[in-house]
Amino acid sequence: MKNLKDKYYIDTWGCQMNEEDSEKISGLLKGLGCNRTSVRKEADIIIFNTCCVRENAEQKVFGHIGELKHLKKANPNLIIIICGCMTQQKGMPEKIIKKFPYVDIIVGSFNSYKLPEYIDRVKKDGKSIIEVWDKEDGIIEGLPIDRKSDIKAFVTIMYGCNNFCSYCIVPYVRGRERSRKPEDIVNEIKDLVSKGYKEITLLGQNVNSYGKGLEPEITFPNLLRMVNKIDGVQRIRFMTSHPKDVSDDLIKAIAECDKVCEHGHFALQSGSTKILTEMNRKYTRENYLTLAKKLRDNIPDVAITTDIIIGFPGESEEDFEETLSIVKKVEFDSVFTFIYSIREGTPAAKLQAQVPDDIKHKRFNKLVEAINEIVERKNKEYEGKVVEVLVEGASKNDETRLTGRTRNNRLVNFNGSPENIGKLVNVKIVRAQPFSLIGEIV
Ligand code: SAH
Ligand code: SF4
Ligand code: F3S
């Protein structure tokens, strides 16, 4: 069914891996001759690529599917597709269809590459399809990818997760770890460079596990070294990596590879060893402090960013104070803070000592205040300095300005001509704002 003239619309929730999946779905649809629209009501095909890592992510999706009812009524030929992690939960596809019978296709993360076939079937017989696999038949290489940016590209190097942190649903919906072959990754990056891409972010739920089970085995630091040798790549990033698996060799590789940016996202989750044990994170508060010190000692100007969960079951005031104090000690460059959300089917959901909502919110606010103070203070240190920025495009808030990031991932806005988009420029920072820097090209 080539050359559908349909317009499609995609909304994506969740992490960068979901973003990349959407780029693949978009690539498949463009391959059919469809065109993308950013206006929902103009679309013939609407796709929601969902996330279920926290309950509010799920609630949002339900709200959006509900909003489609009137569009389907106005256009019975509209095809509504729900895919992504939410659909991989037991009983969820049935729940979605029951609540929203006008949904046409529910497809899982492992078989979303089959969408063209499912769309064809729905067009022919009009019957809803639920097709959710619990694993794929091998990693599918060579799918077309319609990337959002033409400067920065995400490249997934491994899928799934084996860590089973006790609060987290990802291993249940994304399956076990499996790595792409290094030659497939290198070839994809060479192709990206030939198309003018400047920055590559290597993605995985725990990139440190990359290469296990491959023949021959290869470590993540050695993959970084391979990618670093590709001519034309300007910057390499990676995310995310589990603190328990950060080896000295990884720190060495970041320090020695000129293209690997000085930034690591290492999710801390909690500053209390007791809570970390309950979370099944397999490192202690002291281990994390040692890691942070090693990073700062070996990689000049390194930015350390993190994720923290507030209100994990059994978190006492003392545990929370430990989180607050480690945040102040490490002086994180940026922190994503989350309120613990019960995920059915995970071990933590069964724990009795759930923290009351009002206490969670109080702790959350106190933590965010401390983080903001640190981030703002650290940003101030950049005033007067000259930094290298990869220019990504026009600033979100002011079309007449340019925006980009430093090697250590700080957002910089500055005046400059659009000719600079896609280039590395030197910017002198004139003013620090709480979450960004303002500068001038020098
Ligand atoms: N694999 C990544 C994390 C992916 S999920 C890593 O380990 O670094 C992104 C973040 O969501 C996690 O780091 C965690 O902070 C948060 N998260 C996961 N499950 C959650 C839950 N049940 N409630 C609240 N936050 C959660
Ligand atoms: Fe979830 Fe833990 Fe795996 Fe990250 S490492 S995806 S937090 S189980
Ligand atoms: Fe969400 Fe799935 Fe990513 S649950 S965080 S979209 S792996």
Side-chain angles (χ1 to χ4, degrees), residues 118-361:
Y118 303 152
I119 293 172
D120 198 27
R121 257 162 62 193
V122 167
K123 280 194 175 260
K124 281 189 183 129
D125 65 15
K127 285 199 200 115
S128 295
I129 296 175
I130 298 183
E131 282 268 2
V132 178
W133 298 0
D134 55 10
K135 56 180 191 305
E136 76 242 307
D137 37 6
I139 292 177
I140 317 286
E141 291 292 347
L143 289 177
I145 309 184
D146 174 40
R147 297 181 192 275
K148 218 156 118 188
S149 157
D150 41 22
I151 297 161
K152 308 199 297 184
F154 295 135
V155 173
T156 299
I157 60 165
M158 59 175 300
Y159 299 88
C161 179
N162 288 0
N163 288 310
F164 290 95
C165 303
S166 65
Y167 49 82
C168 183
I169 200 155
V170 171
Y172 305 89
V173 296
R174 287 277 177 168
R176 295 296 70 73
E177 287 172 2
R178 53 239 184 255
S179 296
R180 291 177 68 196
K181 292 194 187 112
E183 53 271 29
D184 289 331
I185 296 168
V186 167
N187 286 340
E188 182 176 341
I189 296 172
K190 282 185 178 160
D191 182 52
L192 287 165
V193 171
S194 75
K195 291 177 177 143
Y197 282 85
K198 302 291 187 304
E199 183 179 297
I200 305 293
T201 303
L202 305 174
L203 290 182
Q205 291 297 352
N206 178 15
V207 291
N208 295 311
S209 294
Y210 175 75
K212 286 184 190 146
L214 286 180
E215 268 302 323
E217 279 209 2
I218 162 170
T219 64
F220 179 62
N222 283 342
L223 180 74
L224 278 181
R225 292 181 177 108
M226 274 172 95
V227 176
N228 195 59
K229 283 195 196 118
I230 301 175
D231 280 341
V233 175
Q234 309 266 4
R235 285 178 170 190
I236 304 165
R237 300 185 185 278
F238 59 93
M239 71 182 319
T240 63
S241 50
H242 196 304
K244 78 174 162 57
D245 296 321
V246 178
S247 60
D248 288 348
D249 195 36
L250 176 62
I251 298 174
K252 200 162 158 249
I254 304 172
E256 79 192 17
C257 293
D258 57 328
K259 297 168 187 172
V260 176
C261 291
E262 295 74 18
H263 169 219
H265 186 78
F266 304 107
L268 165 70
Q269 313 299 5
S270 169
S272 148
T273 298
K274 182 191 103 196
I275 296 295
L276 288 170
T277 309
E278 292 282 311
M279 287 176 160
N280 193 30
R281 291 289 287 179
K282 300 196 170 78
Y283 54 86
T284 62
R285 171 189 177 85
E286 288 68 36
N287 295 151
Y288 197 98
L289 284 167
T290 308
L291 166 64
K293 182 166 178 349
K294 268 192 208 165
L295 287 161
R296 298 233 192 264
D297 286 350
N298 289 285
I299 308 166
D301 225 14
V302 69
I304 307 176
T305 60
T306 204
D307 294 349
I308 292 177
I309 299 177
I310 283 300
F312 182 82
E315 183 191 75
S316 66
E317 210 48 44
E318 293 75 54
D319 295 321
F320 171 68
E321 286 300 327
E322 293 214 83
T323 298
L324 207 54
S325 79
I326 199 171
V327 161
K328 290 178 184 166
K329 270 200 173 140
V330 175
E331 299 198 306
F332 287 107
D333 296 84
S334 158
V335 184
F336 293 104
T337 40
F338 305 107
I339 289 184
Y340 170 71
S341 165
I342 299 177
R343 301 286 65 205
E344 279 322 319
T346 61
K350 297 195 201 81
L351 296 174
Q352 297 300 317
Q354 297 292 336
V355 178
D357 277 353
D358 58 330
I359 297 187
K360 280 188 199 165
H361 285 107

